[in-house]
């Protein structure tokens, strides 16, 4: 469950007001990349909704104001969904400039957003989606069935994202209608096109102009309704996106301390124009997303007035704001992420990958032998290291008592969550027994590996705490090298399998289909090829359970299948689990309606999902956002 509350900022951070913002490009996990709950954040319930979501009574909404949003990081390869290394901050920008096909309501159900209707055949293998009439992209081109199908096709055929959409076997469009056929029953397919990366719609004309467009490759285009690659020049700018949302692109300067700038879309279909719904959205004149990767500096920027609002998954910072009425803080962890250590176990061959991509022989996973010396390939080494991590201490010390130690990829409230997954418990004696076995099996006097982190000091300190636990348990039998890495590069290393272990944060969502592509054996590409199964593990039992969880409409069966996935993760120690991530969204009190976003056909959207929330409904007191 998630609680929303006001929390206080401790005076210890006052000294940070003199610091300048230090930021860097972001990929997968800032602010915590990687038992009973402390404070008043309740995580015990599995169905309760986020409560008290920004219930301030501040009067009627007014137009005006530019919101300066301090985000955790930049994004690499922006801003075409099929190629962007998109983390939380990236998704926030997408929420501003583009609309999704589906939203998720406060009951956790997918609802049409850009769509007027969504239907599925009895077998769950044909989805017919009808786009609302009269909508246009920011360049004036129509949002119709073809444009939606084209967006889907780019993600379907992209080297980066196609593993997530491997179920798709065909696309067709007619007028405002697009039909998606799948090779297996996919009752939850709308969750792959909700307010996430490939769920956001961008101008077909803009996508066709991009050199990176996968449909410019004849073999990929041939599988789609556009068998001939675009004849137009590849002269579009991937850094200047043309979306469909409440705000339009103005400028983007990548890197540390720089910004992605937007302005109000006066022709927004949910606005006040002659063909609009009359809802008046958006209220803000614009949003400036300013990169500040150092969480402490981001918080200081909020206090000093540099930012009007920030988000953070740093539990220490969330706790530091407790009780301070100078700021409004909303916290959320329902349907949220897990912070953990991602392990690279790529080895051997992969028949599932070869079958999916039409290769004649099982693909070698490590053709150049780059991961061959990684001791984390050994199960007993992984078990030994896992037993030596005090999960409760780790979660408590890194999150000021606000986070719960994790034992698997599914947080409380998600299908698959288990109070006891079988993941190795903190046990020094067992850890040492297994370490002796590990060293005998690998034939070395010590376990040595690189332990990467992003360059946020909070994340570096988190890795250092884990390293200190291993030192306490094993002494010189464990030697790790902690390397801070700029976050844009960080995700690239994971995609290519160019790492041994690194802090990570992932796996929020509502249905198993949203996480399956991270874990299928077929998603584990050979090292040096792009893979969504970053750790490159292969587990046939997880594969089978994921298919059951995806194809079933019976919640009991879906739940049982997801629980099997959880137990197999624990049994094989594919990752070292840290804590279930708690996000905070913190603003000065002039910023109103941070979370109460009405969906187009009624109901309210989920307030905060893993640090992400809607933006079109936000307004500022007197049309001025500056505190």
């Amino acid at each position: 469950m998630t609680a929303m509350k006001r929390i206080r900022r401790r005076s210890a951070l006052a000294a940070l007001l003199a610091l300048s913002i230090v930021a860097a490009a972001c990929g997968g996990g800032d602010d915590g990349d990687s038992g009973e709950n402390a404070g008043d954040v309740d995580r015990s319930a599995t169905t309760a909704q986020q409560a008290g979501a920004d219930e301030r009574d501040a009067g009627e909404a007014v137009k005006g104001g530019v919101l300066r949003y301090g985000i955790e990081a930049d994004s690499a390869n922006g801003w075409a969904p099929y190629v962007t290394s998109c983390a939380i901050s990236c998704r926030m920008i997408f929420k501003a400039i583009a609309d999704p096909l589906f939203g998720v309501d406060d009951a956790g159900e997918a609802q049409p957003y850009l769509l007027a209707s969504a239907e599925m055949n009895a077998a769950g293998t044909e989805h017919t989606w009808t786009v609302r009439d009269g909508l246009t992209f920011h360049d004036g081109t129509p949002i119709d069935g073809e444009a939606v199908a084209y967006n889907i096709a780019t993600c379907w055929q992209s080297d980066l994202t196609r593993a997530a959409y491997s179920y798709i076997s065909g696309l067709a469009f007619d007028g405002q209608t697009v039909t998606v056929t799948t090779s297996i029953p996919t009752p939850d397919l709308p969750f792959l096109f909700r307010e996430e990366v490939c769920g956001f719609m961008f101008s077909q004309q803009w996508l066709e102009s991009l050199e990176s467009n996968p449909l410019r490759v004849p073999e990929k285009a041939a599988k789609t309704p556009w068998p001939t690659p675009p004849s137009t020049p590849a002269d579009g700018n991937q850094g200047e996106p043309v979306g469909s949302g409440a705000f339009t692109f103005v400028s983007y300067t990548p890197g540390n301390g720089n910004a992605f700038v937007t302005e109000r879309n006066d022709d927004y279909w949910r606005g006040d124009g002659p063909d609009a719904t009359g809802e008046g959205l958006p209220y803000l004149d614009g949003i400036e997303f300013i990169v500040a990767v150092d969480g402490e500096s981001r918080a200081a920027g909020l206090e000093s007035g540099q930012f009007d609002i920030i988000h953070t998954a740093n539990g220490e910072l969330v706790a530091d704001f407790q009780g301070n009425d100078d700021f409004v803080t909303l916290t959320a962890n329902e349907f949220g992420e897990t912070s953990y250590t991602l392990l690279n176990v790529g080895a051997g061959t992969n028949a599932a990958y070869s079958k999916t991509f039409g290769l004649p022989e099982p693909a070698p996973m490590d053709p150049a032998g780059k991961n061959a010396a990684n001791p984390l390939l050994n199960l007993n080494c992984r078990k030994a290291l896992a037993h030596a991590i005090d999960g409760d201490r780790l979660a408590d010390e890194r999150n000021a008592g606000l986070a719960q130690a994790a034992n698997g990829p599914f947080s409380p409230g998600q299908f698959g969550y288990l109070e006891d997954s079988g993941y190795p418990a903190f046990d020094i004696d067992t850890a040492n027994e297994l370490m002796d076995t590990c060293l005998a099996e690998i034939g070395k006097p010590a376990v040595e590996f690189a332990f990467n982190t992003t360059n946020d000091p909070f994340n570096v300190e988190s890795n250092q705490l884990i390293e200190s636990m291993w030192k306490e348990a094993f002494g010189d039998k464990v030697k790790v090298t902690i390397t801070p890495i700029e976050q844009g590069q960080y995700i690239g290393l994971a995609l290519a399998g160019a790492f041994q272990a690194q802090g990570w944060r992932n796996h929020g969502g509502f249905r198993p289909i949203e996480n399956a592509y991270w874990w299928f054996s077929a998603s584990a590409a050979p090292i040096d090829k792009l893979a969504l199964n970053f750790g490159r593990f292969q587990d046939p039992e997880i594969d089978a359970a994921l298919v059951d969880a995806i194809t079933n409409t019976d919640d009991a069966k879906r739940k049982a299948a997801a629980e099997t996935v959880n137990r197999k993760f624990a049994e094989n120690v594919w990752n070292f689990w840290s804590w279930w991530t708690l996000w905070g969204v913190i603003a000065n009190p002039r910023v109103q309606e941070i979370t109460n976003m009405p969906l187009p056909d009624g109901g309210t959207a989920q307030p905060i999902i893993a640090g992400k929330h809607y933006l079109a409904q936000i307004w500022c007191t007197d049309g001025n956002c500056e505190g």
Side-chain angles (χ1 to χ4, degrees):
M1 175 181 174
T2 302
M4 298 276 185
K5 61 178 184 174
R6 293 177 183 270
I7 57 181
R8 180 172 184 80
R9 183 102 173 116
R10 294 179 188 149
S11 60
L13 284 182
L16 290 171
L17 295 175
L19 298 179
S20 61
I21 293 297
V22 179
C26 168
D30 138 281
D31 296 337
D33 58 8
S34 18
E36 287 311 67
N37 309 307
D40 55 4
V41 180
D42 179 11
R43 296 170 182 76
S44 60
T46 59
T47 59
Q49 301 308 307
Q50 299 187 53
D54 197 20
E55 294 176 345
R56 293 169 290 159
D57 182 7
E60 293 295 319
V62 296
K63 298 265 187 180
V66 174
L67 187 72
R68 299 164 303 171
Y69 205 127
I71 56 175
E72 64 170 7
D74 202 353
S75 297
N77 306 318
W79 295 97
Y82 58 80
V83 74
T84 303
S85 298
C86 198
I88 301 303
S89 297
C90 162
R91 288 162 168 86
M92 287 297 294
I93 290 171
F94 278 2
K95 277 179 176 286
I97 61 173
D99 281 343
L101 294 180
F102 294 89
V104 177
D105 64 21
D106 54 10
E109 298 295 332
Q111 302 291 348
Y113 200 101
L114 282 176
L115 301 177
S117 65
E119 299 176 353
M120 179 181 68
N121 67 357
T125 56
E126 184 175 286
H127 300 260
T128 303
W129 298 339
T130 303
V131 184
R132 297 178 191 273
D133 289 327
L135 308 188
T136 60
F137 292 103
H138 297 158
D139 59 6
T141 58
I143 305 176
D144 55 16
E146 180 177 5
V148 168
Y150 197 88
N151 273 264
I152 293 172
T154 58
C155 285
W156 179 28
Q157 296 302 320
S158 166
D159 288 343
L160 176 63
T161 56
R162 63 179 167 175
Y165 301 94
S166 59
Y167 321 109
I168 295 177
S169 56
L171 276 174
F173 58 87
D174 182 16
Q176 293 299 105
T177 299
V178 57
T179 301
V180 184
T181 55
T182 58
S183 56
I184 61 173
T186 51
D188 289 332
L189 189 67
F191 285 90
L192 285 184
F193 294 97
R194 64 174 180 89
E195 59 274 69
E196 283 294 322
V197 182
C198 287
F200 291 108
M201 296 294 105
F202 289 83
S203 163
Q204 180 178 349
Q205 179 174 280
W206 176 66
L207 292 171
E208 288 177 339
S209 76
L210 301 181
E211 185 176 6
S212 64
N213 185 341
L215 302 193
R216 286 190 172 273
V217 179
E219 304 83 53
K220 295 177 180 178
K223 300 175 183 177
T224 76
W226 303 270
T228 303
S231 58
T232 54
D235 57 3
N237 190 333
Q238 191 169 298
E240 298 181 359
V242 181
S244 54
F247 299 91
T248 62
F249 169 83
V250 174
S251 65
Y252 168 56
T253 305
N256 184 4
N258 293 319
F260 187 106
V261 179
T262 72
E263 64 184 8
R264 179 194 291 123
N265 176 11
D266 289 325
D267 296 322
Y268 189 48
W269 65 278
R270 299 188 67 184
D272 291 322
D275 298 319
T277 60
E279 295 172 87
L281 302 177
Y283 297 111
L284 298 169
D285 289 336
I287 304 175
E288 296 180 2
F289 296 95
I290 303 167
V291 176
V293 70
D294 184 331
E296 297 276 2
S297 296
R298 196 181 324 137
L302 177 66
E303 288 184 313
S304 69
Q306 179 181 9
F307 304 133
D308 306 309
I309 186 171
I310 65 171
H311 61 188
T312 179
N314 182 328
E316 291 180 340
L317 292 179
V318 173
D320 281 342
F321 277 92
Q322 193 161 8
N324 187 346
D325 289 336
D326 290 338
F327 299 96
V328 174
T329 300
L330 308 180
T331 63
N333 73 333
E334 191 174 22
F335 307 115
E337 303 160 302
T338 301
S339 294
Y340 60 99
T341 302
L342 177 66
L343 310 179
N344 187 348
V345 295
T349 60
N350 189 341
Y353 173 85
S354 295
K355 180 178 179 181
T356 298
F357 294 98
L359 303 178
E361 301 290 339
M365 289 299 294
D366 187 15
K370 293 182 178 180
N371 201 40
N374 188 353
L376 300 173
L377 296 174
N378 182 283
L379 176 57
N380 282 315
C381 294
R382 300 198 300 272
K383 286 182 175 179
L385 292 166
H387 274 297
I389 299 173
D390 185 341
D392 289 332
R393 177 187 165 199
L394 178 64
D396 184 69
E397 290 190 14
R398 301 311 296 144
N399 295 279
L402 294 179
Q404 183 180 354
N407 64 5
F410 302 110
S411 61
Q414 290 181 300
F415 285 108
Y417 166 75
L418 289 166
E419 186 174 344
D420 181 5
S421 65
Y423 180 71
F426 178 55
D427 185 333
I428 294 298
D429 291 339
T430 301
N432 275 286
E433 292 174 6
L434 287 166
M435 180 55 69
D436 289 342
T437 303
C438 153
L439 295 176
E441 289 176 348
I442 67 174
K444 296 182 178 179
V447 167
E448 298 186 47
F449 59 94
F451 189 13
N452 296 342
T453 172
T454 62
N455 55 358
D456 181 346
F458 177 86
N459 296 336
V460 176
E461 292 168 8
S462 296
N463 281 23
Q464 288 172 339
L465 178 56
I466 294 172
E467 179 192 27
S468 72
M469 293 179 183
W470 289 334
K471 286 294 184 183
E472 290 173 10
F474 306 121
D476 291 337
K477 293 180 181 178
V478 173
K479 299 177 181 179
V480 300
T481 303
I482 296 177
T483 305
I485 298 171
E486 180 271 326
Q487 292 192 1
Q489 180 186 0
Y490 199 69
I491 264 196
L493 295 177
L495 287 166
F499 71 98
Q500 293 182 306
Q502 57 187 43
W504 208 251
R505 189 190 66 212
N506 202 352
H507 309 316
F510 300 88
R511 296 289 192 275
I513 195 172
E514 297 176 76
N515 279 301
Y517 52 83
W518 303 118
W519 304 328
F520 271 128
S521 297
S523 300
I527 289 171
D528 286 339
K529 292 185 178 294
L530 297 179
L532 293 180
N533 180 337
F534 302 128
R536 275 115 173 126
F537 68 85
Q538 299 176 62
D539 195 321
E541 292 180 86
I542 286 182
D543 292 341
L546 286 172
V547 171
D548 284 346
I550 289 167
T551 58
N552 266 303
T553 56
D554 183 295
D555 277 354
K557 293 179 180 178
R558 184 172 12 208
K559 179 174 180 288
E563 288 173 353
T564 296
V565 172
N566 201 351
R567 292 188 182 96
K568 300 311 293 185
F569 262 109
E571 179 182 327
N572 290 293
V573 195
W574 294 127
N575 296 308
F576 301 147
W577 307 115
S578 298
W579 60 81
W580 286 305
T581 310
L582 177 71
W583 274 91
V585 176
I586 310 165
N588 77 55
R590 301 188 68 85
V591 181
Q592 308 290 337
E593 297 289 353
I594 297 170
T595 60
N596 296 330
M597 176 64 167
L599 291 171
D601 294 331
T604 303
Q606 279 282 327
I608 300 173
I609 307 169
K612 310 180 294 291
H613 58 92
Y614 283 95
L615 297 155
Q617 81 289 348
I618 293 178
W619 57 278
C620 292
T621 304
D622 301 324
N624 177 14
C625 299
E626 297 185 22

